[in-house]
Each structure stands twice: as structure tokens, then as C-alpha cells.
Amino acid sequence: DAGVIQSPRHEVTEMGQEVTLRCKPISGHNSLFWYRQTMMRGLELLIYFNNNVPIDDSGMPEDRFSAKMPNASFSTLKIQPSEPRDSAVYFCASSLPAGGLDTGELFFGEGSRLTVL
Amino acid sequence: AQSVTQLDSQVPVFEEAPVELRCNYSSSVSVYLFWYVQYPNQGLQLLLKYLSGSTLVKGINGFEAEFNKSQTSFHLRKPSVHISDTAEYFCAVTRLRRALTFGSGTRLQVQP
């Protein structure tokens, strides 16, 4: 069974460039989460969607960050313009209709490691 | 608001020794509790979860955790660890219809 698929796995870019991270959730899951992991701040929830609708984006750091979920099988997280402090591993996770927001069982992708020079 | 505190950032232990990773939570309402494991360069995987019922929860790879409401704790234990258990372990909490809040993680280092 295919798990949550994220791309790219690694991205190195220069400050000021636009970065787009992509996520394909597990088929049938209706909740999708974007988390950011850094040594200093640990795992932080950025935003989550339920049935393609953003439910809570209070964790999005600032206007440079935006996330979309145009359909049930695809989501993007965009940073424009990127800054060195955005360097982190970005994880996408999805959950079943009876899980996720109700029981918290998330299925994580392998992450996208972003380095902004 | 809900929060999770993992008291130890690193726990070194010898192979075949027992281990306990500590987790305390705070919430004004009933919560669901989880332990996730992250191996190097991978995403997080669910180890076990407490939703309701028996306070002793058994998970994968021989791990178990005990929910203690009076002490607001959910410590993770394994009676005998293997080298392959070396990883980062995250405690997490959620309440109904809220996303997971993760602790800061505990790095378990199993030495031969």
C-alpha cells in the first residue's frame, strides 16, 4: 500500500527563491496536516485540512507561507520568498475519516528537507 | 490549551536493559495520548495510543505505556531494548477534533 508521498525529499535553494513542497495523502484519508520539524522548536503544526478545507492555519509562521489542497489527493505548501530560518524538515501527514481529528492517528510521509542558503 | 512535556531529551541505555521514557501532559479536558517513533531520515510511525478503557496500552515492537490520570502521565516502557530501538520518540496529545500536539522528543540511544 502506498503511504503518504512527499516531494521533493531534499531541496536546497537560495534566500528569496520560491519553494513548493508537495504531498499526496493516502487514498481515502480526508484530513491532511503539514508539520515543520527543527532542532530548536521540535514538531510544529503549520496547518491542517479536513475535506480539502483549511481548518486551522494558526501555525503558519507568516504571510510568506501558504498552503492549498485543491483536491483530496494533493496538497502544496509554498514559501515565497524563502529565508534561511525556514530551513527545516517539512512533514505531511494524513488520517482516516474516523481517525485524525477524532483519535489522532496520523500517517506521516518521509518529509521534505529544505535548506535555504 | 493542551501541552506535552517530555522530561528527558536523551536516554542512553545498554542493550537488553529496561527503559522508561517519560511524558506528562496538561489539558483541562479528556485527551487522547500517543507515542510515535522516528527513525533517522524517516517520518513518524505510531507506536501505541490510549483512547479509553484499560490504562495499560501495548504497542508494536514490545513497547507499552501506562496512562495515569492523577499524575497526568503517559510513560513509555520496554523491558528489554535492542540496538534497533535507537530512534527518537515523541509523545503526543489531542482532544476531540483538534490536531496532535507533540512533545519535544526523547532520543533513545541503545549501546551494545
Side-chain angles (χ1 to χ4, degrees):
Chain A
D1 289 343
V4 175
I5 299 172
Q6 292 187 245
S7 65
R9 291 293 313 277
H10 302 273
E11 173 96 3
V12 180
T13 190
E14 293 187 346
M15 183 173 63
Q17 296 298 306
E18 177 179 296
V19 173
T20 299
L21 308 178
R22 298 172 176 80
C23 175
K24 177 179 169 54
I26 294 173
S27 177
H29 286 194
N30 74 338
S31 293
L32 184 140
F33 306 77
W34 283 101
Y35 282 87
R36 178 172 67 176
Q37 186 179 36
T38 61
M39 290 290 290
M40 292 296 294
R41 301 174 69 89
L43 272 162
E44 304 173 277
L45 176 69
L46 299 178
I47 185 171
Y48 71 87
F49 297 84
N50 193 33
N51 292 322
N52 311 336
V53 176
I55 302 300
D56 183 357
D57 65 355
S58 60
M60 297 286 264
E62 47 198 271
D63 292 345
R64 297 185 298 107
F65 284 70
S66 62
K68 294 182 179 179
M69 192 165 186
N71 57 62
S73 59
F74 184 66
S75 177
T76 60
L77 178 67
K78 186 175 293 187
I79 309 172
Q80 167 63 21
S82 59
E83 296 182 2
R85 58 191 169 126
D86 301 331
S87 297
V89 181
Y90 291 82
F91 286 103
C92 177
S94 68
S95 66
L96 288 162
L101 294 174
D102 290 335
T103 65
E105 184 164 0
L106 304 184
F107 296 79
F108 282 79
E110 294 191 320
S112 294
R113 182 175 296 275
L114 173 64
T115 302
V116 183
L117 303 175
Chain B
Q2 59 201 30
S3 66
V4 176
T5 301
Q6 291 185 246
L7 298 167
D8 306 298
S9 59
Q10 293 189 65
V11 173
V13 63
F14 288 107
E15 194 172 17
E16 297 184 6
V19 71
E20 178 180 83
L21 306 184
R22 296 181 292 169
C23 172
N24 287 86
Y25 69 93
S26 65
S27 176
S28 58
V29 297
S30 295
V31 295
Y32 304 132
L33 294 156
F34 307 80
W35 277 98
Y36 281 79
V37 60
Q38 184 181 29
Y39 298 104
N41 299 315
Q42 294 187 25
L44 281 72
Q45 304 171 32
L46 181 66
L47 262 183
L48 49 79
K49 60 185 176 184
Y50 171 77
L51 304 180
S52 64
S54 172
T55 58
L56 183 63
V57 180
K58 294 189 183 297
I60 62 172
N61 301 340
F63 283 93
E64 62 181 32
E66 185 156 19
F67 171 61
N68 188 319
K69 188 174 182 179
S70 62
Q71 297 187 4
T72 60
S73 68
F74 190 55
H75 300 333
L76 180 70
R77 303 185 186 100
K78 186 170 182 177
S80 175
V81 295
H82 301 134
I83 294 285
S84 59
D85 292 324
T86 295
E88 186 126 19
Y89 292 80
F90 292 90
C91 184
V93 63
T94 188
R95 53 191 177 95
L96 189 63
R97 301 201 173 275
R98 294 290 185 270
L100 281 178
T101 298
F102 285 91
S104 55
T106 298
R107 185 170 299 278
L108 177 63
Q109 298 167 312
V110 181
Q111 304 164 1

